Amino acid sequence: MKNKIKQKVFSGIRATGQLHLGNYLGAVKGMLALQETHDCIFSVVDLHTITTPYDPDSLQNSILEIAIDYLAAGLDPKKCKIEVQSFVPEHIELAYLLSTIYPVSRLQQLPTYKDKTLQHPKYQNMGLLFYPILMAADILLYKTELVPAGVDQEPHIEVTREIARKFNAMFGETFPEVKRMETVGEYVPSLLGTGKMSKSVPGSYINLADSPDVIYEKMSKAKTDSGPQSKMSKLPEEGAVANLFKIFGLFDVKRAKVFESQYLEGSIKYMEMKETLAEVIIEVLQPIREKRNDLERNKEYVKKILLEGSIEARHEAKINLNEVKQKMGLI
Ligand code: TRP
């Protein structure tokens, strides 16, 4: 159909260092698919970044690094808009407005708030409690319908739906119902045997920018177990080796199957599997790494993309924010 309006998509990544495979498979691959068919805005959410300890001197660089990862992975500014959250101050204004219709007690119960305050007991702050409201504002500012994000973001997306419903009930139909887009790799296990790949756990992850040497080294340190002693009736369901099979399967199902049968026969050599997995990952990341190196040398171009994307996004943001203010009786 010719004039069919494309569905709105928004997603954001915090500017805390470089992207790793978990971000790539969990969020970025979804973004890549959606930019072909949907009306997408992808954000570097710097205002969320500052809710946990960070270094102000390197924040600008961290923002650029995420943008470089976005572009290197294949986001195309001709097909989607890439913004920096703080370049569009309407995010903050909408967040404040939405905060007036949402209870504090619900925010205190959220698992991410509890986790982060435990992780940084000396860095408890209002911004951290406010985090889900700002995220809801990110999403609702563009009347987003679909959010590609990892499964850990589901509680925040539920908050977004609650806010949208309440706003619609109080002030009239304004926001659509938002859904999270599930991706196959939304839970990428850690290389350390427990939990998921996470920037805050050293040794658990592989970065998109890691060189082949670093990938081999990280993979050689990945945890395994003492190995099958004889023929096995089934594959492990949890633990370090199950995780490695899972990561392998996310990249190359065929080659993963070879090692899975070796496991069942009791003949698997973990070192060999880890080396092959490293090779597979290096192969997938090679074009991304090359493009990344080009962009690193051309940061002015990256800054221009961010500025242009933010200006375009802001235009839409202003229209929607105006509607909200009108409905709330502020103008
Ligand atoms: N909270 C998300 C994370 O930590 C980042 C984020 C902020 C986001 N705003 C968003 C994700 C809006 C999706 C949509 O990964």
Side-chain angles (χ1 to χ4, degrees), residues 10-14 45 48 85 116 131 134-135 138-139 147-149 152-153 156-157:
F10 181 93
S11 191
I13 293 186
R14 285 162 25 106
V45 288
H48 279 112
Q85 186 187 30
K116 290 260 158 66
Y131 188 113
L134 180 58
M135 177 159 161
D138 295 341
I139 295 169
V147 176
D152 57 319
Q153 295 303 312
H156 293 151
I157 299 196

Side-chain angles (χ1 to χ4, degrees), residues 229-269:
Q229 306 303 319
S230 56
K231 281 200 179 207
M232 302 296 276
S233 57
K234 59 180 179 56
L235 294 169
E237 273 157 22
E238 52 182 42
V241 175
N243 283 358
L244 286 183
F245 281 141
K246 167 129 205 245
I247 297 173
F248 215 140
L250 290 170
F251 283 95
D252 189 332
V253 178
K254 237 164 108 191
R255 280 198 266 183
K257 287 249 179 305
V258 175
F259 288 98
E260 286 173 3
S261 353
Q262 288 177 359
Y263 180 91
L264 295 172
E265 282 163 15
S267 65
I268 189 163
K269 292 196 181 68

Side-chain angles (χ1 to χ4, degrees), residues 122-194:
K122 296 215 179 88
Y123 214 83
Q124 298 201 22
N125 61 81
M126 181 62 204
L128 204 51
L129 185 66
F130 199 76
Y131 188 113
I133 303 279
L134 180 58
M135 177 159 161
D138 295 341
I139 295 169
L140 298 176
L141 186 58
Y142 300 110
K143 299 196 176 187
T144 305
E145 291 166 86
L146 199 59
V147 176
V151 66
D152 57 319
Q153 295 303 312
E154 191 55 48
H156 293 151
I157 299 196
E158 182 52 32
V159 170
T160 308
R161 278 190 290 266
E162 285 168 20
I163 291 179
R165 273 186 221 124
K166 194 157 175 201
F167 188 98
N168 290 347
M170 288 173 75
F171 304 110
E173 200 59 31
T174 309
F175 299 118
E177 180 92 1
V178 57
K179 276 215 287 276
R180 185 174 67 87
M181 188 179 97
E182 297 171 24
T183 49
V184 273
E186 65 182 11
Y187 187 90
V188 180
S190 157
L191 298 179
L192 298 177
T194 47

Side-chain angles (χ1 to χ4, degrees), residues 110-128:
L110 287 175
T112 36
Y113 176 66
K114 290 191 191 157
D115 291 351
K116 290 260 158 66
T117 46
L118 280 177
Q119 211 179 335
H120 310 289
K122 296 215 179 88
Y123 214 83
Q124 298 201 22
N125 61 81
M126 181 62 204
L128 204 51

